[in-house]
């Protein structure tokens, strides 16, 4: 009953920018945190950035200074602004949310379907 819908992926040249958005919907009571993970073929999934409902952020070392995560708690959305993109940023990007559903006590770990980011000239 919880869905995460991502948008904003695509092809961009090195040094360019992309803006990824993720919107959570469904029977949501509370979202503790939202974030973005990425996975390239043959590699492990890794955290890119996350943000709590209180605004605390965490970034992978490889993206610090280039990516910025933000959120709109009222709309249950999270945005990842990616600047100065590098070819090594190429990956599938997946939205993640830790969600408490209406009528539930514990939180579930929800995932989006992924959006592809390709950085190439």
């Amino acid at each position: 009953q919880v869905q995460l819908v991502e948008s904003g992926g695509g092809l961009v040249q090195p040094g360019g920018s992309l803006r990824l958005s993720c919107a959570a919907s469904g029977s949501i009571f509370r979202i503790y945190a939202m974030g973005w993970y990425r996975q390239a073929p043959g590699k492990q999934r890794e955290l890119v950035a996350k943000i709590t409902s209180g605004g605390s952020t965490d970034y992978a070392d490889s993206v610090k200074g280039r990516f910025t995560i933000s959120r709109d708690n009222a709309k249950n959305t999270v945005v990842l602004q990616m600047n100065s993109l590098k070819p090594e940023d190429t990956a599938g990007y997946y939205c993640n949310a830790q969600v408490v559903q209406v009528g539930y006590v514990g939180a579930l770990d929800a995932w989006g379907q992924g959006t592809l980011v390709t950085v190439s000239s």
Side-chain angles (χ1 to χ4, degrees), residues 12-18 66-67 81-86 119:
V12 66
Q13 295 182 349
S17 298
L18 283 175
R66 300 188 298 119
F67 293 8
Q81 178 66 46
M82 305 186 295
N83 299 324
S84 301
L85 283 161
K86 304 175 180 179
V119 184

Side-chain angles (χ1 to χ4, degrees), residues 24 28 31 34 53 71-78:
I28 297 171
I31 299 179
M34 298 184 74
S53 60
R71 82 279 181 265
D72 185 334
N73 290 335
K75 296 181 179 180
N76 291 330
T77 61
V78 63

Side-chain angles (χ1 to χ4, degrees), residues 8-113:
L11 175 65
V12 66
Q13 295 182 349
S17 298
L18 283 175
R19 182 181 175 93
L20 304 183
S21 297
C22 174
S25 63
S27 186
I28 297 171
F29 176 74
R30 182 179 178 182
I31 299 179
Y32 285 114
M34 298 184 74
W36 290 91
Y37 292 74
R38 67 186 181 188
Q39 187 170 23
K43 296 184 178 180
Q44 295 277 15
R45 182 185 63 188
E46 65 173 346
L47 173 70
V48 179
K50 65 179 180 181
I51 186 167
T52 70
S53 60
S56 298
T57 59
D58 189 21
Y59 295 92
D61 288 340
S62 60
V63 308
K64 287 181 178 178
R66 300 188 298 119
F67 293 8
T68 302
I69 192 167
S70 60
R71 82 279 181 265
D72 185 334
N73 290 335
K75 296 181 179 180
N76 291 330
T77 61
V78 63
V79 171
L80 184 68
Q81 178 66 46
M82 305 186 295
N83 299 324
S84 301
L85 283 161
K86 304 175 180 179
E88 50 263 44
D89 295 318
T90 297
Y93 283 70
Y94 298 86
C95 182
N96 170 261
Q98 296 166 23
V99 181
V100 178
Q101 294 180 273
V102 174
Y104 288 73
V105 175
L108 63 83
D109 201 20
W111 291 92
Q113 77 285 351

